Amino acid sequence: MDMVDCVDTGKRLEIVLEYASFTKEKFDLYCKYQVQIHKDTMEELSEEAFQRFLVESPLESEASDLSIDYGSFHQKYILDGKLIAVAVLDILPKCISSVYFFYDPDYSSLALGKYSALQEIDLTRKLHSVSDDLKWYYMGFYIHSCPKMNYKGQYKPSDLLDPITYDWYPFTQCQEQLEKTRYAVFSGPIPPPSDTPSGWLDPESIKEDHLKSVRMLAARGQLVPVTAHARWSKSANLRQSVREFSSLALMLFITSYPAELVARRDTSLDALVNYGLNPPRTIQPPYCVGFNITYPSAKGLSFKRGELQKITWEVDRSLPDVPNLVTRIRIFDSDERNEQVLGENITVFTHPKGGATTHFIDVNDKESNYHYRVMVNYPGNSVHCVYQSVPFKVIPFPNIRYISGGLSPPSYAIAQHQRQNN
């Protein structure tokens, strides 16, 4: 615990670092922040959502040999006994990652976000004095045209990650290019547009030798190489699905991402929440044009629960109003109930014509038509624009396709289906 006494005002600020946990005090502060700063409604907020977003974590807390605890933490800012801000942090063997920060809007004049960043930098320096490897402070995504995100460039020296090569470049070297274009590549010329999302390998470039280490679940719960499975040579759809999945999985392996960073929730990709009834907007502001969801765009698509999927979009950059931030992406069912939060504060441009993001389908186990709802911010406007995709099906239990198609499923599929329903 750190304490800061202000002689002039007689105030006392306590800074407490603790493992991530749920308290009513934290949740109430989070709701106040989301409603006043991000214009959420109380109907959109729940204790379960808060826990999945900012408490639960795939990181297992553990102590190192250097008296440093690794895992997910909350750093609380307490002014004269009152909780006024919480920083959500991951402390990893090589870095501190800033996940989220929320504060009491009544104290906006204190610039708590900037102050917390300085405190986290100081914490990184202190831990570096104990461990030479822990020397990086990661602030997350940077969006040059968004005031809520571009303040990160004020902390120096800092670096930005090239979206093509995944090499780091000094921010001062990138700044001039960011002023000229909304999509910047620091390593060289901007490559031509591609249907492959940023961060993926081209599925067609993956050879069969690359896939020998990919396993799939077969009869009696056995894991077998996908290339040795009987369906591999017979099913073009299976081969294509495996290549698309591997284009991401192999990319993560080839670029040697630390496992603890890959496992991170990606801010809120796995935040499965039922917010309740949330009807779509019927009237959009006049500037809500030029944003088009390009996938899924064909009606009648069916996805399986648990599979990796993507949503892509294009933006007309010739219009006077061009969006600068995808503020939230969610999946809704046919009753207009929110089933899954896919992410928040996502960059609009992952390639010159638009963007894409990937996620795992994780909706409730029920047959329904679902659709994506995308909230988009346009600079200088206080009201977000809302766009919806075409509807699609989600198959809650993959082997149900045998039954719905009038075919006899394998015996192990029937057993699994019975266990699922019991």
Side-chain angles (χ1 to χ4, degrees), residues 64 66 68 70 92-94 124-135:
S64 73
L66 301 171
I68 299 175
Y70 299 133
L92 306 169
K94 294 186 178 181
T124 306
R125 296 178 66 178
K126 289 177 179 177
L127 296 182
H128 176 59
S129 68
V130 179
S131 170
D132 290 338
D133 288 337
L134 204 165
K135 58 184 179 181

Side-chain angles (χ1 to χ4, degrees), residues 249-383:
L250 289 172
M251 186 66 190
L252 295 177
F253 173 77
I254 291 170
T255 52
S256 300
Y257 278 81
E260 59 267 28
L261 289 182
V262 175
R264 184 63 204 181
R265 66 180 72 81
D266 286 340
T267 306
S268 62
L269 288 181
D270 66 347
L272 176 59
V273 187
N274 190 336
Y275 283 150
L277 185 63
N278 197 334
R281 183 183 297 169
T282 56
I283 300 177
Q284 293 261 51
Y287 51 82
C288 293
V289 293
F291 185 96
N292 181 41
I293 297 174
T294 54
Y295 184 87
S297 58
K299 294 183 179 180
L301 291 176
S302 293
F303 304 141
K304 291 179 289 187
R305 185 184 182 196
E307 76 175 357
L308 190 68
Q309 267 303 330
K310 64 180 179 180
I311 176 172
T312 66
W313 56 84
E314 290 185 352
V315 178
D316 186 351
R317 304 175 78 157
S318 66
L319 297 175
D321 291 305
V322 178
N324 66 342
L325 184 69
V326 175
T327 54
R328 183 177 293 162
I329 302 177
R330 293 178 283 183
I331 294 180
F332 282 76
D333 65 13
S334 56
D335 295 325
E336 300 300 343
R337 295 184 181 275
N338 183 20
E339 295 291 342
Q340 185 179 0
V341 179
L342 304 181
E344 295 182 336
N345 295 333
I346 302 167
T347 181
V348 172
F349 294 99
T350 58
H351 60 78
K353 290 189 175 181
T357 186
T358 57
H359 56 276
F360 287 97
I361 297 288
D362 190 16
V363 299
N364 288 334
D365 278 340
K366 62 180 180 181
E367 289 281 0
S368 176
N369 280 315
Y370 296 86
H371 57 269
Y372 293 107
R373 188 181 296 180
V374 182
M375 294 175 62
V376 180
N377 182 69
Y378 285 71
N381 298 289
S382 59
V383 179

Side-chain angles (χ1 to χ4, degrees), residues 224-239:
V224 300
V226 67
T227 54
H229 196 277
R231 291 183 56 213
W232 178 256
S233 59
K234 299 177 181 178
S235 173
N237 288 337
L238 173 64
R239 293 194 296 272

